[in-house]
Amino acid sequence: MRPVAVSAKEFLAEMVAIPGPKRYIVIGEGAILESGTGSATTALKFTSTAFKGELATISTEDKSFEAHIYLDRVGQASFAKTSVIRLAAPDASPLMSIIVNTAGWEKMASKYGELGV
């Protein structure tokens, strides 16, 4: 399957629209942060920041969960083992992993395969 290039905005919008709970994982030098949305519906909004470019914010309605992603730092996405979507920088360094339901993962994986965003 040939990779399909889309914008990070378009890709995130489709990923957020996958129904059901999601888990977001960020691995840093000395810590791992993992948080989930439970069964709550998530919203996606985009804002421009003065110094760091456009920011995507994924949040639950009550704001008990928020994840922020600088769009210009997303260079690629890949579909790891079933249900895991990995976002990486243009140099392939990891940014975030998102665990979604299997049906949503399969739909996006068959549509995009490995891709550059």
Side-chain angles (χ1 to χ4, degrees), residues 3-27:
V4 177
V6 296
S7 71
K9 270 182 155 176
E10 182 181 340
F11 186 84
L12 288 174
E14 190 168 343
M15 190 269 310
V16 167
I18 294 172
K22 296 170 191 68
R23 295 204 61 75
Y24 296 80
I25 303 154
V26 176
I27 300 173

Side-chain angles (χ1 to χ4, degrees), residues 37-80:
T37 61
S39 60
T41 301
T42 53
L44 176 64
K45 72 176 185 175
F46 301 99
T47 53
S48 291
T49 62
F51 301 104
K52 294 196 176 190
E54 195 164 20
L55 181 71
T57 299
I58 302 166
S59 63
T60 55
E61 187 174 284
D62 66 0
K63 305 287 188 213
S64 62
F65 171 85
E66 287 188 333
H68 307 282
I69 304 165
Y70 287 106
L71 295 177
D72 65 344
R73 297 196 184 160
V74 178
Q76 55 188 299
S78 61
F79 296 87

Side-chain angles (χ1 to χ4, degrees), residues 1-4 77-79 108-115:
M1 171 182 289
R2 293 188 70 186
V4 177
S78 61
F79 296 87
M108 287 188 74
S110 69
K111 178 178 180 178
Y112 295 113
E114 295 280 326
L115 67 124

